[in-house]
Amino acid sequence: MPPNSSRDWRQKLAPYRGLLALALVFGLGCLFSPTHLKTGQRLFLTVENQRTVFFEIAETGILAAGMTLVILTGGIDLAVGSVLGLSATAFALAIYGYGASPLTAVLVALLVGAGCGLLNGLVIARLRLQPFVATLAMMVAARGAAKWLSLGVKVAPGAQDWYVWQQSAEVPFMRWLTTALGGWGPQPMTLLFLLTIAALAVLLGRTRFGRTLYAIGGNEEATRLSGISAARAKVWAYLLCGLCAGLAGICDAAQLTLGDPEAGATYELDAIAAVVIGGTSLAGGRGGVLLTLLGALIMTYIAKILSLNGAPEHVRLLLKGVIIIVAVVIQTDRRHD
Amino acid sequence: MRSRWFLLLPLLLAACSKPTTDQAAAPPPGLPTAADAAQEPPPAGAAQDAKSTAQGLEPGRKYVIGMSQCNRGEPWRVQMDKDLDTAAKEHAAQLEVVFNDAQNDVTKQQAQVREFISRGIDLLVISPKEAKPLAQPVAEAMAKGIPVIVLDRDIDGGNYTCFIGADNVKIGRAAGEHLKKILAGKGKIVELQGLQTSVPGQDRHNGFMEGIKGSQIEVVFDADCKWLEPNARKEMQSALTRFPEIDAVYGHNDPSAHGAYLAAQAAKREKAIKFIGIDGLPHEGVKYVQDGLLDATFLYPTGGAEAIATALKILAGETVEKRITLGTKVFTKENVAQGGEVL
């Protein structure tokens, strides 16, 4: 038994554990940063590197933000990676294949994502299938749909004879999304990610819908008995999660300037990892989307430190595994309720 | 009752990791192809040989070739089937090719080969999923007097008529030598590797190192990108942050080189860097070269056209070499309009 004073100390620090972990990782980054060959500046701390980190976080970060809603209800969405691939394919196909305007293509991609999410939600809430099973099915089916749409070939100008775009040319919208604003600011894609986090944070913290999601995760039966429509809230959670996957798909296609039907494979695991490292409980009911931001930042910073140092692949994988465990152990409140 | 579905996560992880191990054994996914076969007939020599030997066939008889493809899910293998089909169509009066896809399943491919044998095909072409398990069915075909051409991946024991495949070491070496030439023997480069645990990835690395040997070219940064473009883009971003001077990028496949180009473009440094890749798929690497994104790509040929040329010789009763190693082609800005240069 730890002495009382130590427990008090730990309880006081409890809400800030995520921030502490992030600070620790940031410190490690500074410590192990390679330096500029001429100026001796620590490369990890440069504005350029920080901008890159936030840019690299955006795609899986958006996925993880949507995933947080679903995990809060005690569910899971394994389909987000595949839905990302499907939406990226649809987005690129609308532009290159049918010559649609970027705005139309964005709407198509978001609709595809939201549609998949809605289907997930209906199957889970109405047919009462386990989320694991229902979204596993969607994971396979969405990948199939992406391959069907693209005929198994990456969607790029000239990939099929009938595409409107036969010659490669830059899509200004894709370029804009991935280029630093004014040459020094953040990329619009990064802002999109931060905006998603902010919107979902407000949704979870300030609305009835948000409180319902926590309540479902805490005790679904009680929520239902208290007259709140758990089923409807759940459908919305999966729908929003799918919508986020659609948005991430647009980011993916914009980064690669093409729609890859294989895009997003295993990204669902990165998204789940970010949520869990942030401290949201897989059992539901506890956590939040700001924690997911922390989790995603911790993961991306670690990946960046290893990548900057050119760490070999086996080191990266081993460390990633260790860090997930350590982070979750730090985050979990192991006192029995 | 609270659901405990997350106890199933390890299961999911196992399910997810399976394709990766498959890829490790496979040639790079989404890889290579014979860029030329889609647009033009096989290398002039081979095509002419094929035509002349076609006359050695029994007149009026239609020969049936069975083609057992291990996985049509990979674009490069789709291209292989296409190359075979295009070449066979030139002899449509005498040749018919029956295609079969084992969908990345060894037992399915074993059964497929036996089906072909019982159907009484005249010749078997197989691109096997694995070397050991397919040795037995192939041996059964040989015992029945059906000649077998093995494509791309070898089969244990060597009990077949002919093996046709490309040499990744050679292609990697050609890439290294090309880089040595365009950098005048000196420079700092980034190597974006394919899956490091896969044989094609290792061969492309080792060959490249041989190619740049003796020069002052230094690989300042390398990373395992697992053949995937998003990974290549991220690693290149790190390389750009770390090294103010990068002269060239060697991608083990064209998507990696393309991802690196996009990262450099975002940092406004793409003009100072040369990008080279491998595969030369018509709508991928070759197109990137045409558009001026990549400086060069090296063809990883499928051997589909060569398989038909060789099959015609075998069916006409000629003896063929036991091992045929395919050459490569380089596509650069200067020669891409002429269909690349044979190396």
Side-chain angles (χ1 to χ4, degrees), chain B residues 18-29 74 104 195 198 200 226-228:
Chain B
K18 196 175 161 239
T20 331
T21 41
D22 281 352
Q23 282 168 5
E74 295 170 33
N104 217 14
L195 192 66
S198 73
K226 302 174 199 72
W227 311 113
L228 298 174

Side-chain angles (χ1 to χ4, degrees), chain A residues 142-218:
Chain A
R143 185 68 69 200
K147 291 191 182 196
W148 173 68
L149 274 184
S150 62
L151 303 173
V153 180
K154 289 176 189 169
V155 180
Q160 308 289 342
D161 300 335
W162 55 268
Y163 282 5
V164 171
W165 288 50
Q166 285 298 322
Q167 294 304 314
S168 306
E170 204 163 77
V171 181
F173 175 70
M174 292 187 180
R175 185 74 188 273
W176 173 77
L177 212 53
T178 55
T179 309
L181 283 171
W184 55 269
Q187 292 89 338
M189 202 174 106
T190 308
L191 295 178
L192 212 58
F193 162 59
L194 295 175
L195 220 71
T196 308
I197 292 280
L200 293 187
V202 170
L203 194 71
L204 281 177
R206 301 251 182 276
T207 66
R208 219 184 113 154
F209 168 69
R211 284 193 298 278
T212 313
L213 289 189
Y214 281 101
I216 295 171

Side-chain angles (χ1 to χ4, degrees), chain A residues 5-30:
Chain A
S5 62
S6 143
R7 190 188 286 171
D8 286 352
W9 183 78
R10 269 164 54 181
Q11 268 174 8
K12 266 182 202 143
L13 271 180
Y16 306 107
R17 279 183 297 209
L19 279 175
L20 280 176
L22 180 62
L24 184 73
V25 169
F26 197 87
L28 285 175
C30 298

Side-chain angles (χ1 to χ4, degrees), chain A:
Chain A
M1 284 296 278
N4 261 350
S5 62
S6 143
R7 190 188 286 171
D8 286 352
W9 183 78
R10 269 164 54 181
Q11 268 174 8
K12 266 182 202 143
L13 271 180
Y16 306 107
R17 279 183 297 209
L19 279 175
L20 280 176
L22 180 62
L24 184 73
V25 169
F26 197 87
L28 285 175
C30 298
L31 201 64
F32 289 105
S33 165
T35 50
H36 191 281
L37 297 172
K38 295 200 179 82
T39 61
Q41 192 190 9
R42 289 191 176 277
L43 292 174
F44 181 79
L45 279 172
T46 57
V47 177
E48 188 202 336
N49 186 54
Q50 295 304 319
R51 181 166 51 220
T52 310
V53 167
F54 274 86
F55 180 67
E56 285 177 5
I57 210 178
E59 190 181 336
T60 38
I62 292 173
L63 276 191
M67 180 75 82
T68 311
L69 301 185
V70 166
I71 287 182
L72 278 176
T73 69
I76 194 131
D77 190 345
L78 299 177
V80 289
S82 295
V83 172
L84 183 157
L86 177 58
S87 131
T89 306
F91 178 70
L93 189 67
I95 289 183
Y96 296 135
Y98 295 97
S101 71
L103 182 67
T104 319
V106 165
L107 287 177
V108 167
L110 292 180
L111 267 176
V112 164
C116 291
L118 176 65
L119 216 59
N120 274 335
L122 289 176
V123 169
I124 290 161
R126 305 287 174 199
L127 300 183
R128 310 192 57 93
L129 248 67
Q130 280 188 331
F132 189 95
V133 179
T135 58
L136 188 64
M138 178 58 82
M139 170 179 167
V140 180
R143 185 68 69 200
K147 291 191 182 196
W148 173 68
L149 274 184
S150 62
L151 303 173
V153 180
K154 289 176 189 169
V155 180
Q160 308 289 342
D161 300 335
W162 55 268
Y163 282 5
V164 171
W165 288 50
Q166 285 298 322
Q167 294 304 314
S168 306
E170 204 163 77
V171 181
F173 175 70
M174 292 187 180
R175 185 74 188 273
W176 173 77
L177 212 53
T178 55
T179 309
L181 283 171
W184 55 269
Q187 292 89 338
M189 202 174 106
T190 308
L191 295 178
L192 212 58
F193 162 59
L194 295 175
L195 220 71
T196 308
I197 292 280
L200 293 187
V202 170
L203 194 71
L204 281 177
R206 301 251 182 276
T207 66
R208 219 184 113 154
F209 168 69
R211 284 193 298 278
T212 313
L213 289 189
Y214 281 101
I216 295 171
N219 188 337
E220 188 170 350
E221 202 59 34
T223 315
R224 197 162 29 240
L225 293 176
S226 68
I228 300 172
S229 170
R232 180 182 293 180
K234 260 165 110 174
V235 172
W236 274 101
Y238 283 92
L239 189 151
L240 288 172
C241 184
L243 189 68
C244 286
L247 193 60
I250 296 171
C251 296
D252 190 271
Q255 280 182 85
L256 302 181
T257 69
L258 51 82
D260 184 355
E262 302 282 358
T266 72
Y267 282 19
E268 59 278 352
L269 298 180
D270 286 339
I272 295 170
V275 175
V276 171
I277 289 175
T280 297
S281 163
L282 266 186
R286 275 180 300 139
V289 78
L290 291 174
L291 291 177
T292 299
L293 172 64
L294 287 182
L297 271 170
I298 290 171
M299 269 179 66
T300 314
Y301 270 127
I302 289 166
K304 196 74 212 170
I305 297 166
L306 294 169
S307 171
L308 270 181
N309 283 295
E313 184 68 10
H314 59 270
V315 174
R316 297 188 193 196
L317 293 173
L318 284 167
L319 265 176
K320 202 168 162 186
V322 170
I323 285 157
I324 291 177
I325 293 296
V326 170
V328 175
V329 168
I330 293 175
Q331 296 288 355
T332 326
D333 213 340
R334 271 158 301 142
R335 286 167 308 154
H336 292 284
D337 294 341

